Amino acid sequence: MLAKKHILLIVGGGIAAFKCLDLVRRLREHGARVTPVLTTAGSQFVTPLSLSALSAAKIYQDLFDLTDEAEMGHIELSRAADLIVVAPATADLMAKMAGGHADDLATTLLLATDKPVLIAPAMNVRMWEHPATQRNLKTLQADDVRHVGPNEGDMACGEYGSGRMAEVPEIIAAIDKALSDGPLKGKHVLVTSGPTHEPIDPVRYIANRSSGAQGTAIAKALSDLGADVTFVTGPADVPPPPGVRVIKVQTAREMLNAVKDASRADAAVFAAAVADWHVINAGESKIKKDGSGLPKLEFGENPDILAAVSQMKKARPELVVGFAAETDDLIAHATAKRDRKGCDWIVANDVSPATGIMGGTENAVTLITPDGAESWPRMGKDQVAALLAKRIAEAIA
Ligand code: CTP
């Protein structure tokens, strides 16, 4: 996919800029051509010489460089590439993009371009979580700017959290996807995945055995077909796939909010094993064995996220797919669940312990649609995901 593609790489001013040198090498290994644009702040972290040597191309730095204007105007430069990648996208650069500023070469190119734009944000965790940055991110998403990362982890500033720039293979996967022409290109699909954790007190919670493997595989398969995937995941055992927008949640109520926040989707797949109940009288501090008897937990019902989306009056996704985890009377229970919740399809699976499906690598599913029940042979969760993604593509593309 990357062969013969032309990437305009805007290198922003953050410590993660050093990863861009490797990014340029890997892109060229894949056969892509890279034209680097180095911001003034970016040049504090990588030198024009190293970028130029690795890209084997001229580096653009200054808006008012007359030589550049003679060779290639900034408007032309902004449109010559197949894709513009901003890495690292600092909080300042994101704010300027969201505000439509054009006070240097990088921001002018970003405002003048008619090509797709992908950003790889990188910043301190507090800066990333700041409402202003999150607001700017939403604005950029509404403007069709894609983003990859940031990841969670140790940061150069000594803090821990979300804000590390995505790793080079993840950025390559996102670039590949942004340039792909799969059947779901331009479609937005929401996927929920993993278990939810419902707190009993700050240290204890109620959970289930879902590993998140099936939902993760579905998100990846949809993304491989070119979809823009928003992946809302509870605390899963497996990491989210690269190239998707990840929203991490703990509880069912948080998952509902995240789903509401996600912009309008063309299709939605609810693979999460959502807890049906939460503890109403969860302790604010650790519940102690203080001799006054056993704790009495009171339960409240969790919102049914699948039913809420299926029954949306406005902006309901064209296709809503639910899962049904059953231990007996699979088809009858799953068909009744489809009717009750109002979704279009149900992927039903038998999760009796003897099947080893929950937490395992294989799945045996029956797809329930308005046309009836279709049982698929037992296969790997990746294969189930690929088949389901193909069917979704046929239904909405
Ligand atoms: N689901 C949901 N929100 C909930 C419960 C379930 O979105 N609060 C979704 C799941 O993601 C799945 C489908 O509903 O797509 C069915 O989940 P399942 O646990 O099989 O069904 P329940 O609604 O919990 O029904 P029951 O426990 O009676 O089988």
Side-chain angles (χ1 to χ4, degrees):
M1 196 65 236
L2 286 168
K4 297 206 168 51
K5 295 292 181 190
H6 181 189
I7 314 288
L8 189 77
L9 175 65
I10 295 176
V11 180
I15 185 70
F18 79 91
K19 291 187 193 170
C20 286
L21 299 176
D22 192 34
L23 177 62
V24 171
R25 286 181 54 176
R26 302 293 158 225
L27 284 169
R28 293 197 63 221
E29 272 171 18
H30 282 85
R33 181 178 147 210
V34 184
T35 300
V37 172
L38 189 56
T39 62
T40 309
S43 66
Q44 302 292 317
F45 296 92
V46 290
T47 67
L49 188 61
S50 44
L51 266 180
S52 167
L54 288 169
S55 63
K58 179 177 170 59
I59 308 296
Y60 291 86
Q61 285 186 270
D62 191 351
L63 182 57
F64 299 107
D65 184 335
L66 291 180
T67 318
D68 291 354
E69 281 300 322
E71 286 171 9
M72 183 188 269
H74 62 268
I75 302 291
E76 203 185 328
L77 183 60
S78 77
R79 301 185 187 167
D82 298 295
L83 177 74
I84 299 189
V85 177
V86 185
T90 59
D92 182 57
L93 206 40
M94 285 177 64
K96 284 183 170 157
M97 289 173 73
H101 292 226
D103 59 0
D104 62 5
L105 179 61
T107 49
T108 304
L109 295 174
L110 286 160
L111 198 63
T113 192
D114 59 358
K115 292 297 185 313
V117 177
L118 170 76
I119 63 172
M123 65 198 73
N124 166 273
V125 54
R126 302 268 168 268
M127 292 169 79
W128 173 250
E129 287 172 355
H130 195 284
T133 304
Q134 291 304 311
R135 206 162 50 235
N136 291 334
L137 178 67
K138 283 207 173 101
T139 304
L140 293 172
Q141 283 170 340
D143 290 346
D144 278 338
V145 172
R146 294 156 177 267
H147 74 98
V148 50
N151 293 344
E152 209 175 283
D154 288 319
M155 318 199 63
C157 53
E159 287 189 66
Y160 180 91
S162 208
R164 277 169 68 107
M165 188 166 89
E167 296 303 326
V168 170
E170 295 172 296
I171 300 177
I172 301 257
I175 291 175
D176 206 18
K177 205 181 91 217
L179 293 169
S180 96
D181 278 324
L184 287 172
K185 190 177 172 78
K187 299 286 181 186
H188 176 204
V189 186
L190 175 84
V191 179
T192 70
S193 181
T196 61
H197 283 183
E198 308 295 335
I200 295 172
D201 65 22
V203 294
R204 305 180 179 95
Y205 55 81
I206 295 172
N208 59 63
R209 293 186 195 283
S210 166
S211 64
Q214 187 63 82
T216 302
I218 290 168
K220 179 174 183 309
L222 290 162
S223 173
D224 286 348
L225 294 186
D228 274 331
V229 176
T230 299
F231 185 63
V232 180
T233 177
D237 295 344
V238 292
V244 304
R245 179 155 82 102
V246 182
I247 305 179
K248 288 187 178 169
V249 297
Q250 295 283 328
T251 67
R253 285 160 294 161
E254 285 170 15
M255 189 173 272
L256 177 69
N257 283 337
V259 165
K260 277 188 189 153
D261 276 356
S263 54
R264 192 200 167 300
D266 297 288
V269 182
F270 292 87
V274 185
D276 290 314
W277 307 284
H278 65 272
V279 180
I280 304 176
N281 57 341
E284 299 220 335
S285 49
K286 189 179 172 202
I287 301 171
K288 304 293 287 176
K289 294 194 296 283
D290 57 6
S292 63
L294 296 174
K296 291 194 175 44
L297 300 183
E298 286 171 40
F299 289 92
E301 201 162 322
N302 274 333
D304 191 318
I305 306 163
L306 170 63
V309 172
S310 298
Q311 292 161 28
M312 270 163 68
K313 294 272 180 289
K314 278 192 207 149
R316 178 194 192 272
E318 189 182 330
L319 181 70
V320 179
V321 183
F323 269 67
E326 308 292 345
T327 50
D328 51 298
D329 278 341
L330 182 73
I331 294 181
H333 277 139
T335 307
K337 204 169 269 183
R338 178 180 163 271
D339 294 343
R340 192 168 70 242
K341 302 210 182 198
C343 57
D344 303 295
W345 299 353
I346 283 266
V347 180
N349 54 4
D350 183 346
V351 291
S352 319
T355 64
I357 283 174
M358 209 136 183
T361 55
E362 291 190 328
N363 207 349
V365 308
T366 298
L367 182 68
I368 315 260
T369 71
D371 299 330
E374 203 184 290
S375 291
W376 295 355
R378 188 173 173 123
M379 56 180 108
K381 287 184 175 172
D382 289 350
Q383 288 165 291
V384 170
L387 213 52
L388 184 66
K390 187 166 164 277
R391 294 292 288 270
I392 291 172
E394 283 163 8
I396 67 165

